[in-house]
Amino acid sequence: MSLSKAETRRLVKRRFTKLFVLCGLLVLAAVAAGVFLSNHKVSPEIIAKATADAQANYQQSVQETSRIIQECQAAQGTAQATNFPPNCEISQPQPSDFDPKWYMPPTFDFRESFPEMITTFAAVLALVAYIVGASFVGAEWSSGGMMNLLLWRPRRMQVLGTKLGVLLAGATVLTLLVGALWTAGFYFIARTRGSTDSMTSGAWQSIGLMELRALALVLLAGALGFGLASIGRHTATALGVAIGVIVVLQFGLLAVLGMADVKFPELYLAPFWIYAWLNKEYVSQDYNSCDFSPTGGCLPETLTITWQWAGAAMVLSFALIVGGAMWTMRKRDIT
């Protein structure tokens, strides 16, 4: 049996892999079920009811405003006048302030809402890929299986590279299959509990490209988990780094940056770079600055994190972690 076939069989047959993939799928299924149950198809009856509710609230607001104006006028010249605006300048509500859309139940518009679901899908599968990738190589280091494998195939770089290739291939297949089901499932939700009217060829292309970026994120997460566990020669190394980065570095750094009034603190936080990668950009605003505009007044200074920046950061992370794993595999003793 070839090394790649042996590693593929090992990856697929591992109970740890099956468990975490199943957990990820259950989480995604719960999200899809929640969206299905919380959204409704807009029907003429729902529109009529929302219009009636908006009109009723408008009339109630008009009556309430008229009552307040009468009380204000009656209080003029008394101590109670200070409880009302000067000269009883109270604006009347307008019908435009009561849009019937605000009184309708939530509905799932595929074009507007599905990108958020792609972000959720990418986050869940990236977490699964990271943990499975870390365990896939970490368990062999901690159990001594790596040493036994190298006795059979004494080519360090080939062995580690094959393991990483098998992991990434498995993550690709899983992401593509689940992504196809995810898209079809939410398209069904939009058809039955929302709308697909605004879907054009350009919209489908945008969604397809976003899903490809989600695939790249999942593969990066798997590679980082694999590389960190290989460097530390234990699954706990990758898990410890993840906890440290998420809990200590990100939240702690956010607090420090906030106290120091650092401009654009999002530049130092990974979630905003991930958002920029998936959604093509993230606009950070410095509310402590003011760029005067003749038409818009005082506008905060902005800095845009583009998907190209985020992609470069991802490539750099991959090169450092996976490259470090390959270097340690070649230089360190296998003991």
Side-chain angles (χ1 to χ4, degrees):
M1 181 181 294
S2 67
L3 179 60
S4 59
K5 290 183 179 180
E7 291 300 323
T8 301
R9 179 180 176 83
R10 178 174 172 272
L11 175 65
V12 174
K13 294 295 184 179
R14 295 185 72 236
R15 286 177 293 180
F16 193 90
T17 301
K18 296 178 180 179
L19 174 62
F20 270 89
V21 169
L22 178 61
C23 289
L25 294 179
L26 289 177
V27 170
L28 293 177
V31 171
V35 172
F36 179 83
L37 295 175
S38 61
N39 286 274
H40 302 273
K41 187 77 172 179
V42 176
S43 62
E45 293 78 10
I46 291 179
I47 295 176
K49 183 178 183 303
T51 303
D53 291 342
Q55 184 64 24
N57 278 270
Y58 168 68
Q59 296 297 336
Q60 182 180 357
S61 181
V62 168
Q63 296 174 5
E64 182 68 17
T65 303
S66 299
R67 182 185 64 79
I68 294 176
I69 292 176
Q70 292 176 1
E71 292 180 358
C72 176
Q73 293 172 345
Q76 296 301 305
T78 67
Q80 300 297 324
T82 57
N83 296 331
F84 299 93
N87 301 322
C88 297
E89 296 179 353
I90 302 174
S91 60
Q92 290 282 355
Q94 301 298 319
S96 59
D97 297 331
F98 299 84
D99 194 327
K101 292 181 179 179
W102 302 339
Y103 297 85
M104 290 193 294
T107 185
F108 189 83
D109 186 283
F110 191 83
R111 183 170 186 173
E112 293 182 0
S113 302
F114 187 61
E116 297 179 3
M117 297 300 102
I118 297 178
T119 301
T120 302
F121 160 81
V124 173
L125 285 193
L127 178 61
V128 171
Y130 184 90
I131 295 176
V132 171
S135 173
F136 183 50
V137 69
E140 279 213 73
W141 279 115
S142 58
S143 66
M146 184 67 76
M147 291 183 290
N148 294 331
L149 178 58
L150 290 174
L151 291 175
W152 171 57
R153 185 65 66 91
R155 296 180 180 178
R156 298 186 180 192
M157 305 302 291
Q158 182 186 26
V159 168
L160 193 64
T162 301
K163 287 179 176 292
L164 178 59
V166 167
L167 171 69
L168 297 183
T172 299
V173 172
L174 176 66
T175 304
L176 292 177
L177 290 177
V178 178
L181 293 174
W182 190 250
T183 304
F186 276 95
Y187 189 80
F188 171 77
I189 292 174
R191 295 278 295 181
T192 57
R193 298 277 179 153
S195 173
T196 60
D197 296 339
S198 58
M199 292 305 298
T200 62
S201 59
W204 279 113
Q205 182 180 10
S206 178
I207 287 176
L209 291 174
M210 187 175 182
E211 289 180 332
L212 287 178
R213 293 195 297 273
L215 171 61
L217 180 63
V218 173
L219 296 181
L220 175 66
L224 293 184
F226 181 94
L228 290 170
S230 182
I231 292 173
R233 299 191 174 183
H234 204 287
T235 305
T237 302
L239 301 183
V241 170
I243 294 173
V245 169
I246 295 174
V247 178
V248 179
L249 183 58
Q250 295 297 294
F251 289 102
L253 183 60
L254 180 61
V256 171
L257 294 175
M259 291 186 292
D261 290 330
V262 175
K263 293 178 62 175
F264 310 120
E266 293 91 339
L267 287 175
Y268 307 93
L269 303 175
F272 297 98
W273 288 81
I274 295 174
Y275 180 92
W277 170 251
L278 291 175
N279 296 277
K280 295 194 290 187
E281 68 176 23
Y282 175 81
V283 179
S284 177
Q285 296 183 333
D286 179 21
Y287 293 99
N288 295 324
S289 66
C290 177
D291 291 337
F292 180 77
S293 171
T295 57
C298 183
L299 301 175
E301 185 179 356
T302 63
L303 178 66
T304 301
I305 304 175
T306 65
W307 70 269
Q308 292 92 338
W309 288 16
M314 292 169 60
V315 171
L316 180 61
S317 300
F318 179 89
L320 290 176
I321 301 302
V322 176
M326 293 295 180
W327 185 85
T328 56
M329 181 69 168
R330 183 172 183 176
K331 295 296 183 180
R332 289 172 61 183
D333 291 336
I334 307 298
T335 56

